[in-house]
Amino acid sequence: MNDAPSAGPRLSDRQRLHWLRLIRTENVGPASFRDLINRFGSAEAAIAMLPELASRGGAKRQSRIPSEREAEAELEAVARYGARFVAVGEADYPPMLRRMDLPPPIIAVKGDTAVGHMPAISIVGARNASAAGVRMARMLSGEIGREGYAIVSGLARGIDAAAHTGSLGTGTIAVLAGGLDKPYPPENVGLAAEIGERGLLITEMPFGWEPRARDFPRRNRLVAGLGLGLVVVEAALRSGSLISARLAGEMGRIVFAVPGSPLDPRAAGANGLLKDGASIVTEARDVLDVLAPLAGSPSISPVSPLEEPPDFSTPPPNDSDRARLMEALGPVPTPIDEIIHHTGLHPAQVFLILLELDLAGRIERHGGGWVSLLAADP
């Protein structure tokens, strides 16, 4: 395996505790977390401001903030499991994740973090895969892995499991939809344990979290973000694999697809991707030749510093400013730059008002810096 950087900025134990408390707070996602840190300088200072910010945003009730003891309990449970938390600016954080739009601020990892610094390709596909599809996924992952690439997938049955199995000896990354101790499906618990010993397990979900249906798109986002490209081996027309492919394309990753029989519904999604311009894959060389010029790109210096002094140089927005911004919002996603231009407010004021609304649960964040008013909001 490649050696992951060992030097660089690190959170103190107390900072890590408050980062975990902040990201585990209801209505705090990657976007609001980043804005809070940028505004107040630290997670601890941001936590102190959360009730006031949510109230200014019109929250009908206050979000529950995990206590220090609750965060300490999760940190201790993860450590007992042989895992740890890594923050977005730390050296062991996977570089390709850091290049995502709104990366998870803190992730739990188990295994060899050097695997997260290898150039990687994601391989996904049908859970009810054909024998030929499983064989193709295992072959691709093995041959690509032997050329120095990590293989990323989501630990699902079928194609995902075949991709992990084929790359156990060369470097594989499994992204979980639940906590590190709750791999899904149950039949892949043994495979997850082996990946935790020989490869790398990653999740942004709390320890002990049982995955729900709504958690799998979040997992798919990380699967797509970790790779230089993403290969779909088999996928029905409506499947999580196509969500992963769409997310990969939106992130600027290369989308590949293995063609299949038009008579097999499991091939309909991959064939549709090929019609839409995905790169065709019939052998590992089809992927390797495209990735070769990009293979060195994940080497990115760690972000520093992790927390900075707060910046209160811009006058805070008033009620008139908030009303003007609310008029600019609607159910249709709108770029934040357009909102700034339309309202004439200072960018820092716009970001603070959006942060207040986000913490109050009144807006939805979209990729690329777009926001919309939630439909239930008057």
Side-chain angles (χ1 to χ4, degrees), residues 53-125:
L53 293 168
S55 177
R56 292 205 303 248
K60 296 179 174 60
R61 63 175 180 82
Q62 289 296 326
S63 298
R64 184 179 177 280
I65 304 169
S67 68
E68 290 191 25
R69 183 63 204 127
E70 288 171 314
E72 286 171 353
E74 185 176 0
L75 287 165
E76 290 165 1
V78 166
R80 285 195 302 270
Y81 196 69
R84 60 193 176 92
F85 287 99
V86 179
V88 67
E90 294 183 312
D92 283 341
Y93 195 92
M96 287 300 291
L97 273 192
R98 194 160 61 237
R99 290 174 57 178
M100 290 173 55
D101 182 29
L102 302 177
I106 192 165
I107 55 174
V109 300
K110 181 174 176 20
D112 184 1
T113 54
V115 178
H117 286 257
M118 297 170 64
I121 183 75
S122 304
I123 298 179
V124 299

Side-chain angles (χ1 to χ4, degrees), residues 122-163:
S122 304
I123 298 179
V124 299
R127 294 187 297 272
N128 63 332
S130 68
V134 167
R135 187 167 67 251
M136 184 68 173
R138 192 176 292 122
M139 180 194 74
L140 287 174
S141 63
E143 294 183 9
I144 294 170
R146 284 189 289 275
E147 294 294 323
Y149 294 86
I151 302 298
V152 183
S153 201
L155 199 69
R157 61 176 65 91
I159 298 301
D160 287 23

Side-chain angles (χ1 to χ4, degrees), residues 176-184 186 205-216:
L176 307 185
L180 283 178
D181 59 329
K182 300 294 182 181
Y184 182 88
M205 305 306 290
F207 195 77
W209 187 269
E210 291 278 1
R212 310 159 299 174
R214 72 183 72 171
D215 299 321
F216 288 92

Side-chain angles (χ1 to χ4, degrees), residues 33 48 126 240 258 335 339 366:
F33 185 100
V258 175
I339 294 171
H366 306 271

